[in-house]
Coordinates of all heavy atoms in Angstrom, one line a residue:
M1184 N 1.0 -1.3 -0.1 CA 0.0 0.0 0.0 C 0.9 1.3 0.0 O 0.7 2.2 0.9 CB -0.9 0.0 1.3 CG -2.0 -1.1 1.2 SD -3.4 -0.5 0.5 CE -4.5 -2.0 0.3
S1185 N 1.8 1.3 -0.8 CA 2.6 2.3 -0.8 C 2.4 3.5 -2.1 O 3.2 4.0 -2.6 CB 4.1 2.0 -0.8 OG 4.4 1.2 -2.0
Q1186 N 1.2 3.3 -2.5 CA 0.6 4.1 -3.6 C 0.5 5.6 -3.2 O -0.7 6.0 -3.2 CB -0.4 3.6 -4.3 CG -0.8 4.2 -5.6 CD 0.1 3.8 -6.7 OE1 1.1 3.0 -6.5 NE2 0.0 4.4 -8.0
T1187 N 1.5 6.3 -2.7 CA 1.4 7.6 -2.2 C 1.2 8.5 -3.4 O 1.9 8.5 -4.5 CB 2.5 8.0 -1.4 OG1 2.8 7.0 -0.5 CG2 2.2 9.2 -0.6
V1188 N 0.1 9.4 -3.3 CA 0.1 10.5 -4.3 C 0.8 11.7 -3.8 O 0.4 12.3 -2.9 CB -1.4 10.8 -4.6 CG1 -1.5 12.0 -5.6 CG2 -2.2 9.6 -5.0
E1189 N 1.9 12.0 -4.6 CA 2.7 13.2 -4.3 C 1.9 14.4 -4.7 O 1.4 14.6 -5.9 CB 3.9 13.2 -5.0 CG 5.0 12.3 -4.3 CD 6.3 12.6 -5.0 OE1 6.7 13.6 -5.3 OE2 7.0 11.5 -5.5
P1190 N 1.6 15.3 -3.8 CA 0.9 16.6 -4.3 C 1.7 17.4 -5.2 O 3.0 17.4 -5.2 CB 0.7 17.4 -3.0 CG 1.7 16.9 -2.0 CD 2.1 15.4 -2.5
I1191 N 0.9 18.0 -6.1 CA 1.6 18.9 -7.0 C 1.1 20.3 -6.7 O -0.1 20.4 -6.3 CB 1.3 18.5 -8.5 CG1 -0.1 18.5 -8.9 CG2 2.0 17.2 -8.8 CD1 -0.3 18.3 -10.4
S1192 N 1.7 21.2 -7.2 CA 1.4 22.6 -7.0 C 0.4 23.2 -8.1 O 0.4 22.6 -9.2 CB 2.5 23.6 -6.7 OG 3.2 23.7 -8.1
C1193 N -0.3 24.2 -7.9 CA -1.2 25.0 -8.9 C -0.2 25.2 -10.1 O -0.6 25.2 -11.2 CB -1.7 26.2 -8.3 SG -3.1 25.7 -7.0
Q1194 N 1.0 25.8 -9.8 CA 1.9 26.1 -10.8 C 2.2 24.9 -11.7 O 2.2 25.1 -12.9 CB 3.2 26.6 -10.1 CG 4.3 27.1 -11.1 CD 3.9 28.4 -12.0 OE1 3.3 29.2 -11.4 NE2 3.9 28.3 -13.3
E1195 N 2.4 23.8 -11.1 CA 2.5 22.6 -11.9 C 1.5 22.2 -12.8 O 1.6 21.8 -14.0 CB 3.0 21.5 -11.0 CG 4.5 21.5 -10.6 CD 4.7 20.3 -9.6 OE1 4.3 20.4 -8.4 OE2 5.4 19.4 -10.0
V1196 N 0.3 22.5 -12.3 CA -1.0 22.2 -13.0 C -1.0 23.1 -14.3 O -1.3 22.7 -15.3 CB -2.4 22.4 -12.2 CG1 -3.5 22.5 -13.1 CG2 -2.4 21.2 -11.1
V1197 N -0.7 24.3 -14.1 CA -0.6 25.3 -15.1 C 0.4 24.8 -16.2 O 0.1 24.9 -17.4 CB -0.1 26.7 -14.7 CG1 0.1 27.6 -15.9 CG2 -1.4 27.3 -13.9
E1198 N 1.5 24.3 -15.8 CA 2.5 23.9 -16.7 C 2.2 22.5 -17.4 O 2.5 22.3 -18.5 CB 3.8 23.7 -15.9 CG 4.6 25.0 -15.6 CD 5.7 24.8 -14.5 OE1 6.1 23.8 -14.2 OE2 6.0 26.0 -14.1
L1199 N 1.3 21.8 -16.6 CA 1.1 20.4 -17.2 C 0.0 20.2 -18.0 O -0.3 19.1 -18.6 CB 1.3 19.3 -16.0 CG 2.5 19.2 -15.4 CD1 2.5 18.3 -14.1 CD2 3.6 18.5 -16.4
V1200 N -0.9 21.3 -17.8 CA -2.4 21.0 -18.3 C -2.4 20.5 -19.8 O -3.2 19.8 -20.2 CB -3.2 22.3 -18.2 CG1 -2.6 23.5 -18.9 CG2 -4.6 22.2 -18.5
T1201 N -1.5 21.1 -20.7 CA -1.6 20.7 -22.0 C -1.3 19.2 -22.2 O -1.9 18.6 -23.1 CB -0.6 21.7 -22.9 OG1 0.6 21.6 -22.4 CG2 -1.2 23.0 -23.0
D1202 N -0.3 18.8 -21.5 CA 0.1 17.3 -21.6 C -1.0 16.5 -21.0 O -1.4 15.5 -21.6 CB 1.2 17.0 -20.8 CG 2.5 17.5 -21.4 OD1 2.6 17.9 -22.6 OD2 3.5 17.6 -20.8
Y1203 N -1.7 17.0 -20.1 CA -2.8 16.3 -19.4 C -3.9 16.1 -20.4 O -4.5 15.1 -20.6 CB -3.4 17.1 -18.2 CG -4.5 16.6 -17.6 CD1 -4.5 15.5 -16.7 CD2 -5.8 17.1 -17.6 CE1 -5.6 14.9 -16.1 CE2 -7.0 16.6 -16.9 CZ -6.8 15.6 -16.2 OH -7.9 15.1 -15.6
L1204 N -4.3 17.2 -21.0 CA -5.4 17.2 -22.1 C -5.1 16.5 -23.2 O -5.9 16.0 -24.0 CB -5.9 18.6 -22.3 CG -6.6 19.4 -21.0 CD1 -6.9 20.8 -21.5 CD2 -7.8 18.6 -20.6
D1205 N -3.8 16.4 -23.5 CA -3.3 15.7 -24.7 C -3.2 14.3 -24.5 O -3.0 13.5 -25.4 CB -2.0 16.2 -25.0 CG -1.9 17.1 -26.2 OD1 -3.0 17.3 -27.0 OD2 -0.7 17.6 -26.7
G1206 N -3.3 13.8 -23.3 CA -3.1 12.4 -22.9 C -1.6 12.0 -23.2 O -1.3 10.8 -23.3
A1207 N -0.7 13.0 -22.9 CA 0.6 12.8 -23.0 C 1.4 12.5 -21.7 O 2.5 12.4 -21.6 CB 1.4 14.0 -23.7
M1208 N 0.4 12.5 -20.6 CA 1.2 12.2 -19.3 C 1.1 10.8 -18.9 O 0.3 10.0 -19.3 CB 0.3 13.1 -18.2 CG 0.8 14.5 -18.1 SD -0.4 15.3 -17.3 CE -0.3 14.8 -15.6
S1209 N 2.1 10.4 -18.0 CA 1.9 9.0 -17.5 C 0.8 8.8 -16.6 O 0.3 9.8 -16.0 CB 3.4 8.6 -16.9 OG 3.4 9.4 -15.6
P1210 N 0.3 7.6 -16.4 CA -0.9 7.3 -15.5 C -0.5 7.9 -14.2 O -1.4 8.4 -13.5 CB -0.8 5.8 -15.5 CG -0.4 5.4 -16.9 CD 0.7 6.4 -17.2
A1211 N 0.8 7.8 -13.6 CA 1.1 8.3 -12.3 C 0.9 9.7 -12.3 O 0.4 10.3 -11.3 CB 2.4 7.9 -12.0
D1212 N 1.3 10.5 -13.3 CA 1.1 11.8 -13.3 C -0.3 12.3 -13.5 O -0.7 13.3 -12.7 CB 2.0 12.5 -14.5 CG 3.4 12.5 -14.2 OD1 3.8 12.4 -12.9 OD2 4.2 12.6 -15.1
V1213 N -1.1 11.6 -14.3 CA -2.5 11.8 -14.3 C -3.1 11.7 -13.0 O -4.0 12.6 -12.6 CB -3.1 10.9 -15.3 CG1 -4.7 11.0 -15.3 CG2 -2.7 11.2 -16.8
A1214 N -2.7 10.7 -12.3 CA -3.2 10.4 -10.8 C -3.0 11.8 -10.0 O -3.9 12.1 -9.1 CB -2.7 9.2 -10.3
R1215 N -1.8 12.1 -10.0 CA -1.4 13.3 -9.2 C -2.2 14.5 -9.6 O -2.6 15.4 -8.8 CB 0.1 13.6 -9.4 CG 1.0 12.4 -8.8 CD 2.4 12.7 -9.3 NE 3.1 13.8 -8.7 CZ 3.9 14.5 -9.3 NH1 4.3 14.2 -10.5 NH2 4.6 15.5 -8.7
F1216 N -2.2 14.6 -10.8 CA -3.1 15.8 -11.5 C -4.5 15.7 -11.1 O -5.1 16.8 -10.5 CB -3.0 15.8 -13.0 CG -3.2 17.2 -13.8 CD1 -2.2 17.8 -14.2 CD2 -4.5 17.4 -14.0 CE1 -2.3 19.0 -14.8 CE2 -4.7 18.7 -14.6 CZ -3.6 19.5 -15.0
D1217 N -5.2 14.6 -11.1 CA -6.5 14.4 -10.7 C -6.6 14.6 -9.3 O -7.7 15.3 -9.0 CB -7.1 13.1 -11.1 CG -7.3 12.9 -12.6 OD1 -7.5 13.9 -13.2 OD2 -7.4 11.7 -13.1
H1218 N -5.7 14.3 -8.5 CA -5.7 14.4 -7.2 C -5.8 15.9 -6.8 O -6.6 16.3 -6.1 CB -4.5 13.8 -6.4 CG -4.5 14.0 -5.0 ND1 -5.3 13.4 -4.2 CD2 -3.6 14.6 -4.2 CE1 -5.0 13.7 -2.9 NE2 -4.0 14.5 -2.9
H1219 N -4.8 16.7 -7.5 CA -4.9 18.1 -7.2 C -6.3 18.8 -7.6 O -6.8 19.5 -6.8 CB -3.9 18.8 -8.0 CG -3.7 20.2 -7.7 ND1 -2.8 20.9 -6.8 CD2 -4.4 21.2 -8.3 CE1 -3.0 22.1 -6.7 NE2 -3.9 22.4 -7.6
L1220 N -6.7 18.4 -8.8 CA -8.1 18.8 -9.2 C -9.2 18.6 -8.2 O -10.1 19.3 -8.1 CB -8.5 18.3 -10.6 CG -7.7 18.7 -11.8 CD1 -8.2 18.2 -13.0 CD2 -7.4 20.2 -11.7
S1221 N -9.1 17.5 -7.6 CA -10.1 17.1 -6.5 C -10.0 17.9 -5.4 O -11.0 18.0 -4.6 CB -10.0 15.6 -6.0 OG -8.9 15.5 -5.4
L1222 N -8.9 18.7 -5.2 CA -8.8 19.5 -4.1 C -8.9 21.0 -4.3 O -8.9 21.8 -3.4 CB -7.4 19.3 -3.4 CG -7.2 17.8 -2.9 CD1 -5.7 17.6 -2.4 CD2 -8.2 17.4 -1.8
C1223 N -8.7 21.4 -5.6 CA -8.6 22.8 -5.9 C -9.5 23.2 -7.1 O -9.4 23.0 -8.2 CB -7.1 22.9 -6.4 SG -6.7 24.6 -6.8
D1224 N -10.5 24.0 -6.6 CA -11.6 24.4 -7.5 C -10.9 25.4 -8.6 O -11.3 25.5 -9.8 CB -12.6 25.2 -6.9 CG -13.5 24.3 -6.1 OD1 -13.5 23.1 -6.3 OD2 -14.3 24.8 -5.2
G1225 N -9.8 26.2 -8.1 CA -9.3 27.0 -9.1 C -8.8 26.4 -10.4 O -8.9 26.8 -11.5
C1226 N -8.1 25.3 -10.1 CA -7.5 24.5 -11.1 C -8.5 23.7 -12.0 O -8.3 23.6 -13.2 CB -6.5 23.5 -10.6 SG -4.9 24.4 -10.1
V1227 N -9.5 23.3 -11.4 CA -10.7 22.8 -12.2 C -11.1 23.8 -13.1 O -11.3 23.3 -14.3 CB -11.8 22.4 -11.2 CG1 -13.1 21.9 -12.0 CG2 -11.3 21.1 -10.3
F1228 N -11.3 24.9 -12.7 CA -11.8 26.0 -13.6 C -10.8 26.3 -14.6 O -11.1 26.4 -15.9 CB -12.0 27.4 -12.8 CG -12.4 28.5 -13.6 CD1 -13.7 28.6 -13.9 CD2 -11.5 29.5 -13.9 CE1 -14.2 29.7 -14.8 CE2 -11.9 30.6 -14.7 CZ -13.3 30.7 -15.1
Y1229 N -9.5 26.4 -14.3 CA -8.4 26.6 -15.3 C -8.5 25.6 -16.4 O -8.4 25.9 -17.5 CB -7.1 26.7 -14.5 CG -5.9 26.8 -15.5 CD1 -5.8 28.1 -16.2 CD2 -5.0 25.9 -15.6 CE1 -4.7 28.3 -16.9 CE2 -3.9 26.0 -16.6 CZ -3.8 27.2 -17.1 OH -2.6 27.4 -18.0
V1230 N -8.3 24.2 -16.0 CA -8.4 23.1 -16.9 C -9.6 23.2 -17.8 O -9.5 23.0 -19.0 CB -8.3 21.8 -16.1 CG1 -8.5 20.7 -17.0 CG2 -7.0 21.6 -15.4
E1231 N -10.7 23.6 -17.2 CA -11.9 23.7 -18.0 C -11.8 24.8 -19.1 O -12.2 24.6 -20.3 CB -13.1 24.0 -17.1 CG -14.5 23.7 -17.9 CD -14.5 22.3 -18.4 OE1 -13.9 21.4 -17.8 OE2 -15.2 22.2 -19.5
Q1232 N -11.2 25.9 -18.8 CA -10.9 27.0 -19.7 C -9.9 26.5 -20.8 O -10.2 26.8 -22.0 CB -10.3 28.3 -19.0 CG -11.1 28.9 -17.9 CD -12.5 29.2 -18.5 OE1 -12.6 30.0 -19.4 NE2 -13.5 28.6 -18.0
I1233 N -9.0 25.8 -20.5 CA -7.9 25.3 -21.5 C -8.7 24.4 -22.3 O -8.5 24.4 -23.6 CB -6.7 24.7 -20.8 CG1 -6.1 25.7 -19.9 CG2 -5.8 24.2 -21.9 CD1 -5.6 27.0 -20.6
R1234 N -9.4 23.4 -21.8 CA -10.2 22.4 -22.6 C -11.1 23.2 -23.7 O -11.1 22.7 -24.8 CB -11.0 21.6 -21.6 CG -11.5 20.3 -22.3 CD -12.7 19.6 -21.6 NE -12.2 19.1 -20.2 CZ -11.6 18.1 -20.0 NH1 -11.2 17.2 -20.7 NH2 -11.3 17.9 -18.6
L1235 N -11.8 24.2 -23.2 CA -12.6 24.9 -24.1 C -11.9 25.6 -25.1 O -12.2 25.6 -26.4 CB -13.4 25.9 -23.3 CG -14.5 25.5 -22.4 CD1 -15.2 26.5 -21.6 CD2 -15.6 24.6 -23.0
T1236 N -10.7 26.1 -24.8 CA -9.9 26.7 -25.8 C -9.4 25.6 -26.7 O -9.3 26.0 -28.0 CB -8.6 27.3 -25.1 OG1 -9.1 28.2 -24.1 CG2 -7.8 28.1 -26.1
I1237 N -8.9 24.5 -26.4 CA -8.7 23.4 -27.4 C -9.7 23.1 -28.2 O -9.6 22.8 -29.3 CB -8.0 22.2 -26.4 CG1 -6.8 22.5 -25.7 CG2 -7.8 21.0 -27.4 CD1 -6.2 21.5 -24.9
D1238 N -11.0 22.9 -27.6 CA -12.1 22.6 -28.5 C -12.3 23.7 -29.5 O -12.6 23.3 -30.7 CB -13.4 22.6 -27.6 CG -13.6 21.4 -26.8 OD1 -12.7 20.5 -27.0 OD2 -14.5 21.2 -26.1
A1239 N -12.0 24.8 -29.2 CA -12.3 26.0 -30.2 C -11.1 25.9 -31.3 O -11.3 26.2 -32.5 CB -12.3 27.3 -29.5
M1240 N -9.9 25.6 -30.8 CA -8.7 25.8 -31.6 C -8.3 24.5 -32.3 O -7.4 24.5 -33.3 CB -7.5 26.3 -30.9 CG -7.7 27.8 -30.6 SD -6.5 28.4 -29.4 CE -5.0 28.1 -30.5
G1241 N -8.8 23.4 -31.8 CA -8.5 22.1 -32.4 C -7.2 21.4 -31.6 O -7.3 20.3 -31.1
R1242 N -6.3 22.3 -31.3 CA -5.1 21.8 -30.6 C -4.5 23.0 -29.9 O -4.7 24.1 -30.3 CB -4.3 21.1 -31.5 CG -3.2 20.3 -31.1 CD -2.2 19.7 -32.1 NE -1.0 19.3 -31.4 CZ -0.9 18.3 -30.7 NH1 -1.9 17.4 -30.5 NH2 0.2 18.2 -29.8
I1243 N -3.8 22.7 -28.8 CA -3.0 23.7 -28.2 C -1.7 23.3 -27.6 O -1.5 22.2 -27.3 CB -4.1 24.2 -27.0 CG1 -3.5 25.6 -26.5 CG2 -4.0 23.2 -25.9 CD1 -4.5 26.2 -25.5
G1244 N -0.7 24.3 -27.7 CA 0.6 24.1 -27.1 C 0.6 25.0 -25.9 O -0.1 25.8 -25.7
E1245 N 1.7 24.7 -25.1 CA 1.8 25.4 -23.9 C 1.9 26.9 -24.2 O 1.4 27.6 -23.5 CB 3.0 25.0 -23.0 CG 3.0 25.4 -21.7 CD 4.3 24.9 -20.9 OE1 4.7 23.9 -21.3 OE2 4.6 25.7 -20.0
E1246 N 2.5 27.2 -25.3 CA 2.6 28.4 -25.5 C 1.5 29.3 -26.2 O 1.4 30.4 -26.4 CB 3.9 28.7 -26.5 CG 3.7 28.1 -27.9 CD 4.0 26.6 -27.8 OE1 4.3 26.0 -26.7 OE2 3.8 25.8 -28.7
D1247 N 0.4 28.4 -26.5 CA -0.8 28.8 -27.0 C -1.9 29.3 -25.9 O -2.9 29.7 -26.4 CB -1.4 27.8 -28.1 CG -0.5 27.6 -29.1 OD1 0.2 28.5 -29.6 OD2 -0.4 26.5 -29.6
V1248 N -1.5 28.9 -24.7 CA -2.6 29.2 -23.6 C -2.7 30.7 -23.7 O -1.7 31.4 -23.7 CB -2.1 28.7 -22.2 CG1 -2.9 29.2 -21.2 CG2 -1.8 27.2 -22.3
P1249 N -3.8 31.2 -23.8 CA -4.0 32.6 -23.9 C -3.4 33.4 -22.7 O -3.6 33.0 -21.6 CB -5.6 32.8 -23.9 CG -6.1 31.5 -24.4 CD -5.1 30.5 -23.9
P1250 N -2.5 34.3 -22.9 CA -1.7 34.9 -21.9 C -2.6 35.5 -20.8 O -2.3 35.4 -19.5 CB -1.1 36.0 -22.6 CG -1.0 35.5 -24.1 CD -2.2 34.8 -24.2
D1251 N -3.7 36.0 -21.1 CA -4.6 36.6 -20.0 C -5.1 35.5 -19.2 O -5.1 35.7 -17.9 CB -5.7 37.5 -20.7 CG -6.5 36.7 -21.7 OD1 -6.0 35.8 -22.4 OD2 -7.7 37.0 -21.8
I1252 N -5.5 34.4 -19.6 CA -5.9 33.3 -18.8 C -4.8 32.8 -18.0 O -4.8 32.9 -16.7 CB -6.4 32.1 -19.7 CG1 -7.7 32.5 -20.5 CG2 -6.8 31.0 -18.7 CD1 -8.4 31.4 -21.3
R1253 N -3.7 32.6 -18.6 CA -2.5 32.0 -18.0 C -2.0 33.1 -16.8 O -2.0 32.7 -15.6 CB -1.5 31.8 -18.9 CG -0.4 31.0 -18.3 CD 0.8 30.8 -19.2 NE 2.0 30.2 -18.6 CZ 2.3 29.0 -19.0 NH1 1.7 28.2 -19.8 NH2 3.4 28.5 -18.3
D1254 N -1.9 34.2 -17.3 CA -1.3 35.3 -16.2 C -2.3 35.5 -15.1 O -2.0 35.6 -13.9 CB -0.9 36.5 -16.9 CG 0.2 36.3 -17.8 OD1 0.8 35.3 -17.8 OD2 0.5 37.2 -18.7
G1255 N -3.7 35.6 -15.6 CA -4.6 35.9 -14.6 C -4.8 34.9 -13.6 O -4.8 35.0 -12.4
L1256 N -4.6 33.7 -14.1 CA -4.6 32.5 -13.1 C -3.5 32.4 -12.2 O -3.6 32.3 -10.9 CB -4.8 31.2 -13.8 CG -5.3 30.2 -12.9 CD1 -6.9 30.2 -12.9 CD2 -4.9 28.8 -13.3
V1257 N -2.2 32.6 -12.6 CA -1.0 32.5 -11.8 C -1.2 33.6 -10.8 O -0.8 33.5 -9.6 CB 0.2 32.7 -12.7 CG1 1.4 32.9 -11.9 CG2 0.3 31.4 -13.6
E1258 N -1.6 34.7 -11.3 CA -1.9 35.8 -10.4 C -2.7 35.6 -9.3 O -2.6 35.9 -8.2 CB -2.4 37.0 -11.3 CG -2.3 38.4 -10.8 CD -0.9 38.9 -10.8 OE1 0.0 38.2 -11.5 OE2 -0.7 40.0 -10.4
A1259 N -3.9 35.0 -9.7 CA -5.0 34.6 -8.8 C -4.4 33.7 -7.6 O -4.6 33.8 -6.4 CB -6.1 34.0 -9.3
F1260 N -3.5 32.7 -8.0 CA -3.0 31.8 -7.1 C -2.0 32.4 -6.1 O -2.0 32.2 -4.9 CB -2.2 30.8 -7.8 CG -3.0 29.7 -8.4 CD1 -2.7 29.2 -9.7 CD2 -4.3 29.4 -8.1 CE1 -3.4 28.3 -10.4 CE2 -5.2 28.5 -8.7 CZ -4.6 27.9 -9.9
R1261 N -1.2 33.5 -6.7 CA -0.4 34.1 -5.9 C -1.1 34.9 -4.8 O -0.7 34.9 -3.8 CB 0.5 35.1 -6.8 CG 1.8 35.6 -6.3 CD 2.6 36.4 -7.2 NE 3.1 35.4 -8.4 CZ 3.1 35.8 -9.7 NH1 2.6 37.0 -10.0 NH2 3.6 35.1 -10.6
D1262 N -2.1 35.6 -5.2 CA -2.9 36.3 -4.3 C -3.4 35.4 -3.2 O -3.5 35.6 -2.1 CB -4.1 36.8 -4.9 CG -3.8 38.2 -5.5 OD1 -2.7 38.6 -5.5 OD2 -4.9 38.9 -5.7
F1263 N -4.0 34.3 -3.6 CA -4.7 33.3 -2.9 C -3.8 32.8 -1.8 O -4.1 32.8 -0.5 CB -5.1 32.1 -3.8 CG -5.9 31.0 -3.0 CD1 -7.1 31.2 -2.5 CD2 -5.3 29.8 -2.9 CE1 -7.8 30.3 -1.9 CE2 -6.0 28.8 -2.3 CZ -7.2 29.0 -1.7
K1264 N -2.5 32.4 -2.1 CA -1.5 32.0 -1.1 C -1.0 33.1 -0.4 O -0.7 32.9 0.8 CB -0.4 31.2 -1.9 CG -0.9 30.0 -2.6 CD 0.3 29.0 -3.0 CE -0.3 27.8 -3.5 NZ 0.3 27.3 -4.8
G1265 N -0.7 34.2 -1.1 CA 0.0 35.3 -0.3 C -0.8 35.9 0.7 O -0.3 36.2 1.8
R1266 N -2.1 36.2 0.5 CA -2.8 37.0 1.5 C -4.0 36.3 2.1 O -4.8 36.8 2.9 CB -3.2 38.3 0.9 CG -4.3 38.3 -0.2 CD -4.6 39.5 -0.8 NE -3.5 40.1 -1.7 CZ -3.7 41.0 -2.5 NH1 -4.8 41.6 -2.6 NH2 -2.7 41.5 -3.3
R1267 N -4.2 35.2 1.7 CA -5.4 34.4 2.0 C -6.7 35.3 2.3 O -6.9 35.6 3.5 CB -5.1 33.2 2.9 CG -4.3 33.4 4.1 CD -4.8 32.4 5.3 NE -6.2 32.8 5.7 CZ -7.2 32.1 5.9 NH1 -7.1 30.7 5.8 NH2 -8.3 32.5 6.4
Ligands
LIG1330 ZN1 -4.7 24.2 -7.9

């Protein structure tokens, strides 16, 4: 029973989301990602935004994440953690 799920940060979710939606992640990483999503509404919302963007564009690379979404979210997390 040593299947420990290592927590990942919101920042990592932002970095990994394209791989996640691409199915390019290993099952272990997907588990960590899902685990984070089960705990973090902000990231659920973020992943949903990216998913919709991919639906609209067909495909997306990390550099294609709309900067306002990406920056806005990273900003939000910083606020969230910094001043709670
Ligand atoms: Zn998060």
Side-chain angles (χ1 to χ4, degrees):
M1184 290 276 173
S1185 56
Q1186 191 69 9
T1187 317
V1188 179
E1189 280 184 51
I1191 61 175
S1192 66
C1193 293
Q1194 183 63 46
E1195 285 178 282
V1196 168
V1197 171
E1198 286 165 9
L1199 294 171
V1200 62
T1201 52
D1202 285 348
Y1203 176 76
L1204 294 174
D1205 252 3
M1208 275 163 70
S1209 70
D1212 284 342
V1213 170
R1215 293 163 73 214
F1216 201 99
D1217 284 340
H1218 178 70
H1219 185 96
L1220 292 185
S1221 72
L1222 302 173
C1223 183
D1224 287 346
C1226 284
V1227 171
F1228 178 77
Y1229 178 71
V1230 170
E1231 198 50 38
Q1232 295 308 299
I1233 301 302
R1234 197 197 300 275
L1235 292 173
T1236 305
I1237 293 174
D1238 278 356
M1240 293 173 59
R1242 200 185 154 74
I1243 195 168
E1245 193 180 332
E1246 62 283 356
D1247 297 326
V1248 175
D1251 53 331
I1252 294 182
R1253 190 181 173 115
D1254 291 351
L1256 199 85
V1257 170
E1258 200 76 3
F1260 287 148
R1261 203 171 287 140
D1262 268 17
F1263 182 66
K1264 290 196 174 131
R1266 69 182 71 160
R1267 46 151 288 139

